[in-house]
Amino acid sequence: MNSLAEDIKQQVESEISSCRNCKKCLLACPLPESKGIDIFHLNREILSERPTHAMLDFAFLCYSCGACNDSCSEHLRRDLHMAYLRSKGRLPKGFTNLLHWRGRSLGPIDKVLYSLKRIKDRPVDSIARHLDKTEFKDTDLLFYFACYAYSPSNIPEKTLGIADHLGLDYDVIAGYSHCCGWPHFLAGDFDRAEPLFIDLFNTITNTTAKTVVTGCAECYKALKFIRDRYAGSFKVLTTTEWITAHQKKLKLTKSTEPITFHDSCQLSRLEDKADVPRALVKKMASLVEMEANRRETRCCGGMRAGHEPERLNILRQNRLTEAKSTGAKMMVTECITCYEKYHPHAKDIKVRDLSELVYDRLKK
Ligand code: SF4
Ligand code: SF4
């Protein structure tokens, strides 16, 4: 098998050779900088060993939102081309928080820093007992929380609360040592992503699990990629899909309050899953749509981490303004990355994750 970096290189080179240079991808891109880019120049730079600083700057502004892919009649993965371009540049400092302390092979300083994090940000006991463990019980169902076990939200806890309410048997993969590698992949650091992919694949396939459930859209993409690349057979579900599969056994309280839903780029646009969360929201509230919805959603910018934070803050505040303009008092997300990017900016509107809403609306 080729290395991941070699496979990505071959895929990108092959795709660029099929590009029709129509520029629809750049016209669909939400970044204003995209409008000044010549498509022939972009394609040349993607293939170049030494792309210009200007093109690398553009690549690091990219959100990995996939709006470009969705507009391409040739089904080319322009978001992957951008990750490949990033692999040739020096990662801006703003990405550091998204990439450090991940995996099992940490240097001595990272080991100490991660130990401190485990103490400082220790989750509740029901989650903490799963952190970084390597032994799993025999069960069909695994929840994959990885880094979001440390989420300041109580989304992991409430997800397990739903499973307990249903009386299900399960185990949990949690902690930075089980990172999915997707942040590294999207950052273009394929050499660091690959061992994380392999470790996670081995961890899952060494269990008896048939289904892996995650509440992070990026983890979902990673789990599917890893399963397909290394020929696994486990099923990957979003938390929303998993809840929906058990919906008949869940008695949910319905109110008339208007709630709006923020689509994740990865799930609603690139995986065509926009109907599943909507059906669930409608069981609990009256759904009001934002103008930019479903495949046309706006990206939360989560995968750009802290690079150019002021622009990211404006992006998030604008989305919340759009949510408020619907008359909704709550914006619901189904990806923890989206949730964590919007929640700190929420004023005059609540931001909740769909799993939290379901848990709170359970007739217990
Ligand atoms: S992934 Fe999104 S931000 Fe990046 S180039 Fe494509 S449309 Fe633009
Ligand atoms: S939309 Fe597709 S075919 Fe057209 S320029 Fe972009 S990548 Fe090439």
Side-chain angles (χ1 to χ4, degrees):
M1 185 187 238
N2 284 336
S3 69
L4 178 67
E6 183 55 34
D7 281 342
I8 299 297
K9 181 173 188 285
Q10 286 180 14
Q11 182 179 346
V12 171
E13 286 175 353
S14 154
E15 289 199 7
I16 295 290
S17 69
S18 340
C19 175
R20 293 168 49 241
N21 302 308
C22 67
K23 206 179 172 175
K24 283 185 186 157
C25 48
L26 289 179
L27 293 173
C29 177
L31 290 167
E33 289 83 351
S34 64
K35 307 304 174 268
I37 289 180
D38 175 83
I39 195 74
F40 294 96
H41 183 48
L42 174 62
N43 284 345
R44 269 199 312 275
E45 292 276 45
I46 288 168
L47 298 179
S48 160
E49 285 301 315
R50 288 172 183 265
T52 60
H53 288 301
M55 203 55 88
L56 287 170
D57 286 348
F58 175 64
F60 284 116
L61 286 177
C62 165
Y63 305 124
S64 303
C65 72
C68 43
N69 301 3
D70 216 27
S71 66
C72 178
S73 57
E74 305 304 303
H75 308 292
L76 304 185
R77 293 266 324 266
R78 187 58 95 186
D79 65 337
L80 185 66
H81 306 173
M82 301 308 286
Y84 180 62
L85 193 47
R86 290 192 281 277
S87 74
K88 302 176 187 194
R90 190 188 177 88
L91 210 59
K93 277 208 178 98
F95 282 83
T96 313
N97 280 352
L98 203 56
L99 306 180
H100 63 184
W101 313 336
R102 316 280 160 142
R104 297 180 198 170
S105 311
L106 301 183
I109 294 174
D110 279 348
K111 266 189 191 153
V112 172
L113 291 172
Y114 185 46
S115 304
L116 292 174
K117 179 174 179 64
R118 283 180 59 124
I119 297 165
K120 182 172 153 283
D121 297 333
R122 183 183 155 83
V124 294
D125 285 348
S126 62
I127 306 299
R129 66 195 175 89
H130 298 293
L131 284 177
D132 303 306
K133 71 182 188 185
T134 51
E135 301 280 324
F136 299 89
K137 68 176 175 182
D138 287 351
T139 177
D140 285 353
L141 177 62
L142 274 179
F143 288 99
Y144 180 69
F145 297 153
C147 61
Y148 84 80
Y150 292 98
S151 168
S153 74
N154 45 22
I155 294 169
E157 188 189 349
K158 291 198 170 177
T159 303
L160 297 189
I162 298 169
D164 292 338
H165 180 83
L166 288 162
L168 299 178
D169 189 46
Y170 60 83
D171 210 338
V172 177
I173 299 181
Y176 279 34
S177 63
H178 296 300
C179 174
C180 69
W182 208 241
H184 307 74
F185 180 82
L186 292 182
D189 193 343
F190 305 126
D191 291 339
R192 278 171 77 197
E194 186 158 34
L196 296 170
F197 286 174
I198 292 169
D199 279 351
L200 180 56
F201 179 80
N202 289 337
T203 298
I204 294 171
T205 51
N206 283 335
T207 72
T208 57
K210 295 186 175 69
T211 303
V212 185
V213 175
T214 183
C216 170
E218 307 300 337
C219 296
Y220 176 85
K221 294 291 285 188
L223 287 163
K224 276 184 65 181
F225 181 86
I226 293 166
R227 179 200 58 198
D228 297 344
R229 178 169 173 82
Y230 305 111
S233 57
F234 52 89
K235 191 173 180 180
V236 184
L237 293 178
T238 65
T239 306
T240 311
E241 289 175 314
W242 168 72
I243 293 171
T244 300
H246 292 282
Q247 198 186 298
K248 286 199 176 118
K249 292 184 217 142
L250 297 172
K251 291 196 171 54
L252 301 172
T253 310
K254 182 166 181 175
S255 70
T256 53
E257 75 179 295
I259 287 181
T260 193
F261 179 73
H262 166 77
D263 292 271
S264 137
C265 302
Q266 299 297 332
L267 299 180
S268 289
R269 177 182 293 135
L270 298 177
E271 295 283 337
D272 206 16
K273 291 183 187 292
D275 288 335
V276 192
R278 283 177 169 74
L280 200 49
V281 170
K282 285 178 188 168
K283 296 272 175 204
M284 298 178 282
S286 162
L287 176 68
V288 286
E289 293 283 5
M290 285 184 269
E291 193 184 322
N293 62 42
R294 296 176 173 265
R295 296 182 87 94
E296 304 301 321
T297 186
R298 298 191 210 282
C299 183
C300 72
M303 284 299 111
R304 209 171 84 191
H307 181 48
E308 300 231 353
E310 287 313 315
R311 282 180 69 175
L312 291 172
N313 288 344
I314 292 167
L315 179 92
R316 290 161 192 161
Q317 281 154 4
N318 287 346
R319 183 59 162 167
L320 287 165
T321 301
E322 189 182 348
K324 279 186 265 188
S325 73
T326 63
K329 298 284 179 242
M330 184 188 296
M331 182 177 91
V332 172
T333 61
E334 67 166 331
C335 164
I336 191 142
T337 304
C338 302
Y339 171 91
E340 290 191 349
K341 298 309 158 205
Y342 290 118
H343 190 261
H345 297 281
K347 283 191 195 119
D348 307 322
I349 189 163
K350 283 185 204 155
V351 174
R352 308 287 310 277
D353 186 80
L354 194 43
S355 58
E356 290 182 289
L357 190 64
V358 168
Y359 180 82
D360 292 348
R361 294 291 180 90
L362 280 177
K363 287 183 190 159
K364 301 182 184 96

